[in-house]
Amino acid sequence: MGWNKLIIAALLFIPSSWTKVTRLNNAIQTAEKSYAEARYEDAIRDHQLLIDEFQYGSFALDFDLGLSNHYAGKTDEAMAFYDQATQSKDKNLASFSFNQAGIILGNKKEYQAALSKFQSALIQNPLNEQARYNYELLARWLKRDEERKQQEQNKPEPSEFAKRKKAEADRLVEQFRFKDALKIMEEALAQDSTVAAYQDFMTTLKDVVEIDEK
C-alpha cells in the first residue's frame, strides 16, 4: 500500500468529533479576532455562528455578544445579551454585565434603572471599581438634580423691584464691577424676599468676587 493510501486510510479513522472540535476552536478564534479588531458587525456574526452552527453557548458568549452589539450601536440587542449574562454564577462576569447594562440605560436617560444596575454590579462584585464610579457619579448627579428641581419649584416670582435691581446689577457686571453688583443684590434681598429668585446669579457673583479678592 502506497503512502498516499496509508494517509487516506488513517484519515478515515480520525473521529468526526475531532474535526468538529478543530472547527469550533477556529470559529472561536475568528470571533475573538473580529472583536479585537473592532469589526463589531463581523464579531456579531462570528459569535452568533458559534450558537447556530455549533450549539455552543455560555454566559461569557452572551457577554461577548452584548459587547459586540453595544459597540455596533444595537443597544436593544446588547441589553438582552447582558441580561442573560447577569445570570452567570461567575460573579465577576455578572458584575460587568450589570455595569454594561447600566451604561446603556444611563445613555437612554433611564437614570433610576441605570442606578439599580450599577448597584447590582456592586452586589455581585464590590471590587468592581468601574461600577462603583458609575454608581457614585450617577447617584450624586441625581441628588443634585433633585435639589435643583426643588429649588426651581420653590423660587418666588420676582417683584418689579427685584427685576429693576437685577437689571442694575447686570449693567454693573457688564462693567466688570462684580462686587458692586453683588452689593446691590444683597441689599435688595434684605428689602424684598422675591430677590431670592436670582439666587443662582448672586452665587455666581460671590464666586467671582472671591476669586478677584484672592
Side-chain angles (χ1 to χ4, degrees):
M1 184 182 292
W3 282 109
N4 289 339
K5 291 182 179 180
L6 282 173
I7 292 172
I8 293 172
L11 289 174
L12 290 175
F13 286 104
I14 295 177
S16 60
S17 60
W18 289 15
T19 59
K20 184 176 181 180
V21 169
T22 300
R23 287 171 52 234
L24 173 59
N25 288 336
N26 289 338
I28 291 173
Q29 290 174 6
T30 298
E32 290 175 347
K33 183 179 179 182
S34 57
Y35 177 79
E37 294 176 352
R39 293 183 288 109
Y40 299 119
E41 290 290 349
D42 291 342
I44 294 170
R45 184 199 62 229
D46 295 337
H47 281 87
Q48 191 63 48
L49 181 69
L50 295 172
I51 299 172
D52 297 339
E53 184 171 335
F54 297 96
Q55 292 74 52
Y56 179 82
S58 69
F59 291 120
L61 178 59
D62 291 332
F63 183 69
D64 288 346
L65 271 166
L67 288 173
S68 297
N69 278 281
H70 193 166
Y71 292 129
K74 300 178 178 180
T75 54
D76 289 340
E77 292 87 342
M79 180 64 79
F81 284 114
Y82 287 146
D83 284 343
Q84 289 176 208
T86 60
Q87 301 172 43
S88 173
K89 292 181 179 179
D90 181 336
K91 292 188 177 296
N92 280 332
L93 181 60
S95 180
F96 280 112
S97 300
F98 275 120
N99 182 68
Q100 290 301 122
I103 291 172
I104 289 178
L105 291 169
N107 288 334
K108 289 183 175 182
K109 299 185 179 180
E110 298 177 25
Y111 299 124
Q112 289 297 339
L115 194 67
S116 178
K117 292 291 186 183
F118 294 141
Q119 186 176 38
S120 295
L122 288 171
I123 290 172
Q124 291 292 322
N125 178 12
L127 299 179
N128 187 339
E129 291 303 319
Q130 185 181 23
R132 183 174 301 283
Y133 174 82
N134 290 337
Y135 177 83
E136 292 178 353
L137 184 66
L138 182 56
R140 202 174 302 137
W141 184 87
L142 287 173
K143 183 179 178 181
R144 286 201 300 266
D145 188 57
E146 184 61 30
E147 291 172 349
R148 182 188 61 77
K149 288 178 180 177
Q150 290 177 358
Q151 289 173 358
E152 289 290 334
Q153 291 173 356
N154 297 330
K155 274 185 178 179
E157 182 66 27
S159 66
E160 290 303 317
F161 170 79
K163 291 176 182 178
R164 287 198 304 273
K165 291 300 179 180
K166 172 63 164 56
E168 288 180 32
D170 285 337
R171 287 193 290 273
L172 291 170
V173 167
E174 291 173 0
Q175 301 170 36
F176 300 96
R177 295 167 60 187
F178 303 109
K179 191 172 183 178
D180 292 337
L182 178 59
K183 183 178 179 182
I184 282 181
M185 295 302 292
E186 288 177 337
E187 290 176 349
L189 181 60
Q191 300 175 54
D192 182 351
S193 62
T194 68
V195 175
Y198 302 115
Q199 188 60 57
D200 290 344
F201 174 66
M202 294 175 67
T203 299
T204 301
L205 285 175
K206 286 179 182 178
D207 291 341
V208 173
V209 169
E210 286 178 3
I211 293 172
D212 284 346
E213 291 181 345
K214 284 183 178 179

